[in-house]
Amino acid sequence: MAAAGGERGRTSFQRRPGAGPRPSALPGTRPSLRHGQLLLSSGLPSLDCVLGGGIAVGTLLLIEEDKYGLYSNLLFKYFLTEGIVCGHDLFVASAKEHPDNILKELPAPLLDDTYRKELGDEAAVVNSEDFQDSMKIAWRYQNLPKMETSPTTYTKFGHYYDISKKMPPELCQSVKRHSFYLHEELSFEPKMKAWNMNSGYARLLQSIQRIISQEGFDGSDPQKKQRNVLRIGIQSLGSILWGDDVCCSDTPEDPHSLTKFLYVLRGLLRKSLSACIITVPSHLVQNKAIMERVTNLSDMVVGLESFIGSERETNPLYKDYHGLVHVRQIPRLNSLICDVSDTKDLAFRLKRKLFTIERLHLPPDLSDTVSRASKQDLAGSAKLLSSGCGAVAMGKKHLDF
Amino acid sequence: MKIWLLTHGQLVFLEGLKSCLDLLFGEEQQPGQPSPLQFVSSCDLRALFDFVRLSLAPCGSASWKGPVLLVDDLSVLLSLGATPVAVLDFIHYCRVSVCCQLQGNVVVLVHSSEDSEDEENELVVNSLCHHSDLILWAQGLATGFCKDVHGQVRHSPAEQDLVQIYQYKIQDRNVTFFAPGLSAAVL
């Protein structure tokens, strides 16, 4: 028995001596704890938390634009700016404004101490109010930790940007930028006729594929020692400027162009070191079937709903926020489950310089007469609460357990 | 879109994304070998079925009984330009060659939703439900998000009116099923 016990102490695992140098990590990436893929930051740390740590390399993030495209444009710029700060290559495609103009308007990065100072100022104001009155009735709750509104990140991944300032041009020039402006492109080659796709999309795919293979993002060039990540940003895909009438007609001429484009793009992303952000004006798309297919074909889908122009703008329940965030889809890579956050009700707000995504906190309704309007509003938003699965079992709203 | 075919003791795998890229960006195909994803340009699923048929063809003396065909995700075919009738024809042909001739099984995945507005997809799903021997329908709970119960599966074999409901919770590499009311949250 003693001999067997002694043998059980030694394992058969032996470290291979001289296993070789570790491959150099790509700049601006970190491996995910859940599925081991490399993650990139989206430029907004609170969005990274919502997406389960970040955007995995090889995946596609689709942003459903808000009504006037203001906030989705901000997310688009954050993504590109993060690429510049991390040293990634950029590919910007647009049919609306010239990519060079987009790249001139990127926000400036906030240095650590200035950001902490901003946060510190706000926190100090809050703390000084709190310490004065200790709880009298709910004194048991005095020692509980404060509720975190924005999801916290514990590792240093992702940067903060100041929207009121522009990025210095020398920082912008420090990375390689490729651009695709639809109206400046040459007419498409005859080979693309066989694709049976909108010519604007076909040209964009050709351009992306050319950059990926020429610059070696798909690993085709073994000589290249320092590999880098390509960040692709496509603005307002599906809008009329791309030559697609998905946004103006219930029965578009070619309903499959957009979905085919997304499918082929995802194929290109999967086989290269790249990640892509696309903004789509989904509120303009008449045919909801196409939006369902677009959602199924993308890896991550985040919808923004701003309060501008709606009755929620003046609703006191939402006075601290500028809009809602709907996470419609998160990928499950190499695993059956994904890192989905517990909070399904998210809202965003644009503070003086920063844009954050936070848990939607409704203030308690302390008025003497509880307003009926707010109750109906809450009932409406309760229907928007999403469950973990894509399709929800409609039925009697009874408790199953 | 992926297709797995378990036959002749081997697993034949078609990765849709890769074949599509090869078709669109690769060199000119030889005329004798059309790519299985030809339908992206030509709206015809025949080449895809030919891929299945050729993989099932008996090689050598022994023929394999009981092949399994798995299709992950039929709804993508609609997004790529195939008509619903073409998709149903493709599945019908596959069922005839796999189930009727070789006594095998076909497992098909489709996306659907009760309030979906995708009529073509609903047409395909309804038709498949009519022709299937077993339907497994995974949905979220009607009451919203729950950490311990991620959803429910409705198990309904054809010919019987019995519909069984199991609730499930997904872990990293595993899914646990249990009867409604017996989740970890309650016990």
Side-chain angles (χ1 to χ4, degrees):
Chain A
M1 287 299 255
E7 271 175 3
R8 233 182 276 140
R10 268 192 312 137
T11 66
S12 57
F13 170 72
Q14 276 158 12
R15 195 184 202 114
R16 242 186 319 153
R22 286 238 184 90
S24 60
L26 293 169
T29 65
R30 65 163 183 180
S32 158
L33 295 168
R34 163 80 60 186
H35 48 69
Q37 302 285 326
L38 281 178
L39 293 176
L40 304 171
S41 171
S42 60
L44 195 61
S46 40
L47 182 62
D48 287 341
C49 281
V50 164
L51 293 176
I55 301 176
V57 169
T59 57
L60 170 62
L61 167 62
L62 193 100
I63 307 275
E64 292 181 358
E65 289 181 9
D66 50 306
K67 204 162 170 199
Y68 302 101
L70 296 168
Y71 300 108
S72 55
N73 217 19
L74 266 181
L75 287 184
F76 188 74
K77 286 189 188 157
Y78 275 127
F79 183 82
L80 297 175
T81 319
E82 181 72 24
I84 293 182
V85 168
C86 295
H88 299 153
D89 287 6
L90 297 183
F91 182 104
V92 186
S94 173
K96 200 158 63 163
E97 44 181 318
H98 201 282
D100 292 343
N101 291 340
I102 299 177
L103 290 169
K104 279 190 199 127
E105 307 256 319
L106 297 178
L110 266 178
L111 300 167
D112 266 343
D113 28 3
T114 38
Y115 175 67
R116 255 187 247 125
K117 189 169 164 305
E118 294 249 350
L119 258 195
D121 283 342
E122 292 187 23
V125 165
V126 168
N127 275 337
S128 60
E129 285 171 14
D130 277 358
F131 280 127
Q132 266 140 35
D133 43 12
S134 55
M135 298 188 195
K136 292 199 174 62
I137 296 175
W139 51 272
R140 277 284 180 211
Y141 294 99
Q142 182 90 38
N143 298 327
L144 284 180
K146 277 211 177 36
M147 173 82 84
E148 285 289 347
T149 46
S150 64
T152 48
T153 45
Y154 295 108
T155 56
K156 209 153 159 31
F157 177 71
H159 305 85
Y160 293 94
Y161 301 100
D162 183 353
I163 310 167
S164 55
K165 299 199 186 92
K166 283 215 192 11
M167 173 171 277
E170 56 273 3
L171 186 55
C172 205
Q173 312 281 342
S174 64
V175 299
K176 230 177 186 179
R177 288 136 35 234
H178 311 277
S179 60
F180 179 96
Y181 185 50
L182 182 68
H183 309 297
E184 276 181 7
E185 291 291 314
L186 307 163
S187 61
F188 62 93
E189 298 138 45
K191 189 181 164 207
M192 282 190 260
K193 280 206 186 85
W195 288 16
N196 207 2
M197 199 194 286
N198 179 347
S199 68
Y201 298 154
R203 273 184 270 165
L204 177 55
L205 281 174
Q206 280 275 355
S207 182
I208 292 177
Q209 193 266 341
R210 204 181 55 236
I211 299 289
I212 286 179
S213 58
Q214 273 174 7
E215 305 282 325
F217 290 109
D218 52 356
S220 57
D221 188 3
Q223 301 300 323
K224 210 171 162 130
K225 289 200 187 68
Q226 181 61 23
R227 292 166 65 185
N228 202 355
V229 170
L230 176 68
R231 286 190 184 228
I232 304 174
I234 305 177
Q235 200 185 41
S236 268
L237 193 71
S239 73
I240 188 71
L241 294 166
W242 285 95
D244 196 359
D245 59 350
V246 169
C247 286
C248 17
S249 153
D250 206 3
T251 48
E253 216 178 284
D254 187 4
H256 303 289
S257 266
L258 184 57
T259 43
K260 270 190 217 173
F261 172 84
L262 286 173
Y263 187 76
V264 179
L265 176 66
R266 213 163 53 133
L268 284 174
L269 292 175
R270 288 284 196 268
K271 67 164 205 165
S272 64
L273 283 176
S274 52
C276 181
I277 188 172
I278 298 184
T279 62
V280 171
S282 61
H283 55 99
L284 294 175
V285 174
Q286 312 284 330
N287 191 342
K288 294 300 165 198
I290 295 184
M291 268 325 291
E292 285 179 25
R293 291 180 185 178
V294 162
T295 303
N296 283 337
L297 284 170
S298 317
D299 294 308
M300 286 160 285
V301 182
V302 173
L304 294 177
E305 181 193 334
S306 79
F307 294 150
I308 301 175
S310 76
E311 70 271 4
R312 288 184 183 166
E313 199 174 5
T314 46
N315 193 333
L317 292 170
Y318 297 118
K319 66 174 163 52
D320 287 330
Y321 304 105
H322 292 111
L324 299 175
V325 175
H326 305 287
V327 179
R328 309 228 192 258
Q329 183 148 290
I330 292 187
R332 287 168 295 277
L333 304 166
N334 293 353
S335 163
L336 289 174
I337 192 80
C338 50
D339 271 325
V340 60
S341 72
D342 284 346
T343 49
K344 300 290 180 187
D345 307 308
L346 298 162
F348 64 84
R349 69 162 122 171
L350 183 57
K351 288 185 250 193
R352 281 179 299 132
K353 296 178 187 178
L354 296 169
F355 180 89
T356 47
I357 294 180
E358 318 178 335
R359 181 201 293 246
L360 176 64
H361 252 172
L362 294 177
D365 204 353
L366 295 172
S367 58
D368 294 331
T369 55
V370 177
S371 50
R372 288 192 186 282
S374 59
K375 270 226 152 79
Q376 271 170 2
D377 203 18
L378 283 177
S381 60
K383 281 208 195 93
L384 296 174
L385 286 176
S386 47
S387 62
C389 201
V392 173
M394 294 286 178
K396 300 191 267 273
K397 302 270 191 280
H398 56 278
L399 285 175
D400 294 303
F401 50 89
Chain B
M1 205 235 355
K2 305 185 230 326
I3 293 185
W4 287 273
L5 193 52
L6 184 58
T7 178
H8 305 306
Q10 287 172 351
L11 186 65
V12 180
F13 176 57
L14 171 70
E15 163 78 68
L17 283 178
K18 189 171 164 311
S19 303
C20 196
L21 288 181
D22 289 337
L23 170 69
L24 295 180
F25 296 114
E27 288 87 30
E28 293 299 320
Q29 301 275 332
Q30 289 96 348
Q33 284 181 10
S35 159
L37 285 202
Q38 198 71 36
F39 67 92
V40 173
S41 19
S42 69
C43 301
D44 188 3
L45 286 169
R46 221 169 301 176
L48 192 60
F49 174 67
D50 284 337
F51 162 78
V52 172
R53 187 173 51 86
L54 290 170
S55 312
L56 286 173
C59 60
S61 51
S63 66
W64 180 265
K65 283 283 181 207
V68 181
L69 171 68
L70 294 159
V71 181
D72 178 3
D73 185 349
L74 216 55
S75 306
V76 173
L77 291 180
L78 291 172
S79 303
L80 288 176
T83 57
V85 174
V87 171
L88 290 171
D89 283 343
F90 166 71
I91 284 296
H92 175 76
Y93 274 76
C94 286
R95 217 175 57 228
V96 164
S97 16
V98 173
C99 300
C100 305
Q101 289 173 357
L102 298 170
Q103 280 82 53
N105 294 317
V106 175
V107 182
V108 170
L109 175 79
V110 282
H111 280 297
S112 175
S113 168
E114 288 193 11
D115 55 351
S116 163
E117 296 197 20
D118 192 349
E119 287 167 5
E120 292 185 350
N121 195 30
E122 292 305 301
L123 181 75
V124 170
V125 169
N126 283 333
S127 184
L128 283 177
C129 284
H130 277 294
H131 291 122
S132 306
D133 295 310
L134 176 63
I135 303 168
L136 289 174
W137 196 329
Q139 329 168 273
L141 294 176
T143 40
F145 174 67
C146 170
K147 255 197 282 195
D148 293 302
V149 180
H150 289 143
Q152 65 184 27
V153 172
R154 284 195 352 216
H155 165 107
S156 41
E159 326 270 311
Q160 303 166 28
D161 281 330
L162 180 70
V163 175
Q164 289 173 313
I165 297 188
Y166 299 101
Q167 292 183 340
Y168 62 83
K169 176 178 169 145
I170 311 177
Q171 283 124 20
D172 209 8
R173 300 266 168 210
N174 189 17
V175 182
T176 45
F177 293 94
F178 39 84
L182 296 179
S183 70
V186 173
L187 294 177

